[in-house]
Structures are given as C-alpha cells and as structure tokens.
Amino acid sequence: MKVKGIIMPTLVLVIITVVTSGLLVVTNSITKEPIRQQQIAADNQSRQEVLPQADGFDDGQTIELDGTEYTYWTAQNGAGYVFSTQFKGYGGPVVVMTGITTDGAVAGVKITEQDETPGLGQKALDASFTDQYIKAIPEEEFVVTKQGASADNEIDAISGATITSNAVTNSVNQAIQLYNTLTGGGD
C-alpha cells in the first residue's frame, strides 16, 4: 500500500477531530454562563418555594454538624432559614431543601436532586408526600411509618419506597438539627 493512501485519510481524520474539538470548546464557553445563571435561578426559586414568607435570601453560609459542613440561607426579612441536606436513597443521594421559620415550623420541603425509581421513589416529589412535614417541629424527630401516621412526628411511607421515604425524612431531621444548632433551640 502506498504511503499517500495512509497519510491522507489520517490527516483528514486529525483535521476533523481538531475542528470538532474546537467547536465543542466554543460551545461550552458560550453556554457555561447561561447554564450557571439558570441553576442559580432554579435554586432561588426552590428556596422561595420552601420558605414562601421570605422576601429574598443571603448568598448562603455554612454550618458544621458532626464534622460535616452544610449550606444554609437566611431570609433577608428574618422569616427563617433554608437548609440543604442529603441522605442516601435507593438510587443514590436524595438532596432536600427544607425551609424552617424563625418560630420553629417546617414551612416547606423540596427534593432538588434524586435518582430514585420511576413510579415508586419518585413519588417523593409529590406534594402529597412532602406536605406531611409542614408543621411545627415535633418534640421528637420525624419517623417513617408504614401503618399510617397517627402521631405528630410520624410520616406515611411511600408504598414500595421506604428507603426513599427514610432518606427524605432523615434529610428533614438533619435540617431541624441544623436549625436547632443555629438558633440554640431543641435539646
């Protein structure tokens, strides 16, 4: 085989690869900032959903509990705090944003990241599940029950998704611990 028959196709592939890589770099640089801005807007919207009494939030701060740092935001009008916590669910980490008012009530719960089983674990996204937490912080931490909630601290498990139910509940309990640490409340 001739050398020209090997070099020309190789050269064409190298040029195509370099041009394609260059286009990817340009596309990434063009879309990076708009994607970041959309993420910031989505995060702000989530904070507003879980603490609707707030008129805005600070840029976020960190608080340490048991050797782990957690991010929280303070409402600019003093309405309360929003905490971001996570626990392992069935399909991976379940990240939960929890809004807690200054008078010690859970104002809202929103799952911001999850990879749970479609049709089962993803039912945790439904308001019928997350609205169970909206109440004054109970004396004892929230617990998941499969028999139907009868006490103030009991949360009805999602049928077929107890692991996900526990992940969300543990995340909310973690947010309450952070709130108590921040405000000096609780035990």
Side-chain angles (χ1 to χ4, degrees):
M1 182 172 222
K2 292 182 179 181
V3 175
K4 190 175 184 179
I6 294 174
I7 292 177
M8 285 307 288
T10 303
L11 187 59
V12 168
L13 286 175
V14 167
I15 291 170
I16 290 171
T17 303
V18 168
V19 169
T20 303
S21 296
L23 290 172
L24 285 172
V25 168
V26 169
T27 301
N28 183 53
S29 67
I30 291 171
T31 59
K32 188 175 188 176
E33 186 60 22
I35 290 171
R36 189 180 77 77
Q37 291 299 324
Q38 286 178 345
Q39 185 61 50
I40 290 170
D43 289 346
N44 287 336
Q45 181 180 352
S46 293
R47 285 189 283 277
Q48 197 64 52
E49 286 177 30
V50 299
L51 192 63
Q53 304 90 329
D55 63 355
F57 295 93
D58 64 11
D59 291 333
Q61 303 163 62
T62 58
I63 184 171
E64 186 176 324
L65 183 65
D66 299 329
T68 303
E69 284 194 349
Y70 298 90
T71 303
Y72 74 96
W73 296 265
T74 304
Q76 291 174 345
N77 64 353
Y81 307 91
V82 173
F83 299 90
S84 180
T85 55
Q86 71 177 18
F87 268 84
K88 182 172 178 0
Y90 184 77
V94 177
V95 181
V96 178
M97 228 178 239
T98 305
I100 302 177
T101 63
T102 51
D103 61 352
V106 176
V109 173
K110 180 174 178 141
I111 298 166
T112 57
E113 295 177 37
Q114 56 81 30
D115 195 21
E116 300 301 280
T117 308
L120 292 174
Q122 287 191 351
K123 289 182 180 178
L125 300 169
D126 295 345
S128 61
F129 178 71
T130 58
D131 285 355
Q132 295 181 83
Y133 299 95
I134 299 175
K135 58 179 85 175
I137 295 174
E139 295 273 329
E140 296 181 31
E141 68 179 15
F142 287 113
V143 293
V144 174
T145 180
K146 295 180 184 181
Q147 280 73 37
S150 60
D152 195 40
N153 69 323
E154 292 183 341
I155 301 296
D156 278 327
I158 299 166
S159 180
T162 307
I163 294 171
T164 304
S165 301
N166 280 319
V168 175
T169 300
N170 289 335
S171 291
V172 173
N173 285 333
Q174 187 85 65
I176 292 169
Q177 285 181 335
L178 294 167
Y179 170 82
N180 288 333
T181 298
L182 188 65
T183 61
D187 297 329

